Amino acid sequence: MSDLDLLRSLGDEIVPPSLDALRETARRRQRRTTTVMTVLAAAIVATVIGAVQLAVPEHRSTPPAKPSKVDGSRPLTHAEGATVHYGDQTVTMPGRVVEIDLTDDGVMVRTADNRVWFTDGSAVDEISAIGESGWEDESAGGDVLWGNYVGRMVSGNTGSEVAWFEFPQPRSPEVVVYDTGSGQVVYHDRHPIDLPYTGVTSGLYSVDAGSVFGFTDLTFGEELRPTWRIELATRTFKPMFEPKAYEAILQSGNLARTLLISDRTDDPADFVPFDGVLELSVTGPRVTPAGKQPHYVKDGLTGQNIAFSAPPGYPDTDSLWLVQWLDDDTVVLHAKQQDGADLLECHISTSECSLALHVPSNAVVPEIG
């Protein structure tokens, strides 16, 4: 059989569907197409609405929360003039920087006009205006509320909290605690703290998620301890006349980025927690604790002795100050030299120090800015 005859025979066997069957098939296809298009249109509308919601955020009266660093590390930070150097990032502030304090989220900055700002290395948010204390005393060398490395703002070696005094009226300090993670003021006591007017040095000492700590009429250095605190949850003012009260609070944590000090012996039983500003010195190749106290210093987390090897050829230096913890193992020491100041990075685990940065003598660093 030829190919043509084969095609003809197959055509005779094929029976076309009836007209009614074709109409029913068309109706089914139309219903299915309409359903699919309806679902697709709904999905497109939902996507467009979601996009609009993302593009037009809800109005906020406070800055949105900024994500904290997962590991809690903090980059090497200092300021020169109006410029803040936050690790590899550089931020220009609206005025000359006179104080910086670090949190896990970024840098709190006080400018010369007593305004307080926060930056995460990119954006700059104005948070508050501190005002003037009104406690000027020439015989005490200036404003007696502040002195040496004790600034108007305080923050912890870990966490997101920072605290300061505000002065709606002179000589009437109010305590403010701000959370840099949430971008919210978490505490503002409108009742002024009763502090001496002249002849003493007073201020805030530290802050954490539970309390803000302050001191009155104490010396600087290793002997500085808080003498009062405010519990943030209960808004209760509590005197702390015994150093052991604060040491017990520190001991209740894991002691990361906290020191253990002893001015008596190297016996472990004589060591107590300390999170203040430590003074060290360089003699030959060694960097060791200096000053009258403490004589012995250990890392609170590991119990390892705080004693470092200086960078090769580093000059003998009387006073270096521990001004920053970069992480649980790394501290920054500030050392004034004739041509400026050095920032040394020292690792507790290896006992090694290296020169991280040389800055002008008037550069602002945490703790002693």
Side-chain angles (χ1 to χ4, degrees):
M1 181 181 293
S2 66
D3 292 341
L4 181 59
D5 294 336
L6 178 60
L7 291 173
R8 286 173 177 171
S9 64
L10 290 174
D12 294 338
E13 296 176 1
I14 296 174
V15 179
S18 65
L19 182 59
D20 291 340
L22 289 173
R23 287 173 177 171
E24 179 61 26
T25 300
R27 282 195 295 269
R28 286 198 302 268
R29 289 178 177 174
Q30 180 65 33
R31 286 196 299 269
R32 188 162 55 243
T33 301
T34 302
T35 302
V36 170
M37 291 302 294
T38 301
V39 173
L40 179 59
I44 293 173
V45 170
T47 302
V48 171
I49 292 174
V52 171
Q53 289 175 338
L54 289 174
V56 185
E58 179 184 358
H59 174 73
R60 300 175 184 268
S61 59
T62 57
K66 298 178 175 60
S68 300
K69 296 179 180 60
V70 175
D71 61 356
S73 63
R74 299 176 176 183
L76 181 66
T77 304
H78 76 285
E80 299 177 31
T83 303
V84 174
H85 300 273
Y86 180 58
D88 295 331
Q89 298 170 290
T90 300
V91 182
T92 301
M93 306 303 297
R96 180 172 60 88
V97 176
V98 295
E99 185 178 2
I100 58 176
D101 280 271
L102 292 166
T103 73
D104 291 349
D105 313 293
V107 193
M108 291 295 296
V109 177
R110 179 169 65 90
T111 47
D113 58 0
N114 277 338
R115 287 189 292 170
V116 175
W117 314 78
F118 175 76
T119 179
D120 59 0
S122 55
V124 176
D125 298 324
E126 182 174 5
I127 306 303
S128 179
I130 288 180
E132 296 297 333
S133 72
W135 285 327
E136 301 296 335
D137 185 350
E138 293 182 0
S139 64
D143 191 337
V144 300
L145 187 64
W146 329 105
N148 289 355
Y149 56 77
V150 179
R152 303 196 179 193
M153 302 185 302
V154 294
S155 62
N157 294 330
T158 60
S160 295
E161 295 78 22
V162 62
W164 61 83
F165 280 143
E166 287 186 359
F167 292 86
Q169 297 179 354
R171 302 189 179 187
S172 298
E174 298 177 356
V175 176
V176 178
V177 179
Y178 180 77
D179 187 315
T180 58
S182 65
Q184 300 284 341
V185 172
V186 295
Y187 179 88
H188 187 177
D189 190 348
R190 304 281 180 180
H191 301 286
I193 299 295
D194 184 18
L195 294 178
Y197 288 165
T198 58
V200 298
T201 300
S202 306
L204 295 177
Y205 181 86
S206 187
V207 64
D208 59 27
S211 300
V212 57
F213 304 90
F215 65 93
T216 302
D217 197 17
L218 287 178
T219 59
F220 299 111
E222 296 84 5
E223 298 176 356
L224 181 62
R225 299 287 194 284
T227 57
W228 56 265
R229 68 175 171 135
I230 298 174
E231 289 184 350
L232 302 183
T234 63
R235 310 180 74 85
T236 304
F237 183 92
K238 295 188 174 183
M240 296 177 58
F241 296 110
E242 293 294 331
K244 291 187 178 298
Y246 184 63
E247 293 164 5
I249 292 174
L250 294 178
Q251 192 70 54
S252 65
N254 67 1
L255 296 182
R257 306 187 199 183
T258 300
L259 302 174
L260 298 173
I261 65 172
S262 171
D263 59 357
R264 299 174 58 189
T265 70
D266 199 19
D267 186 334
D270 289 334
F271 283 84
V272 296
F274 172 76
D275 66 346
V277 181
L278 179 69
E279 184 183 10
L280 301 97
S281 64
V282 177
T283 304
R286 305 296 292 164
V287 183
T288 55
K292 295 184 297 182
Q293 297 178 347
H295 299 298
Y296 308 95
V297 184
K298 297 180 182 292
D299 173 43
L301 187 62
T302 64
Q304 184 167 331
N305 289 332
I306 299 296
F308 302 109
S309 297
Y314 199 80
D316 287 359
T317 307
D318 289 336
S319 290
L320 299 83
W321 296 96
L322 194 163
V323 296
Q324 184 184 348
W325 290 77
L326 301 184
D327 52 45
D328 292 352
D329 184 59
T330 311
V331 297
V332 177
L333 307 183
H334 177 273
K336 282 191 175 182
Q337 303 295 345
Q338 291 183 350
D339 60 344
D342 293 334
L343 299 179
L344 305 180
E345 285 189 15
C346 302
H347 300 278
I348 296 170
S349 58
T350 63
S351 299
E352 297 291 332
C353 287
S354 61
L355 177 61
L357 203 60
H358 184 77
V359 298
S361 58
N362 61 351
V364 178
V365 297
E367 301 292 351
I368 62 172

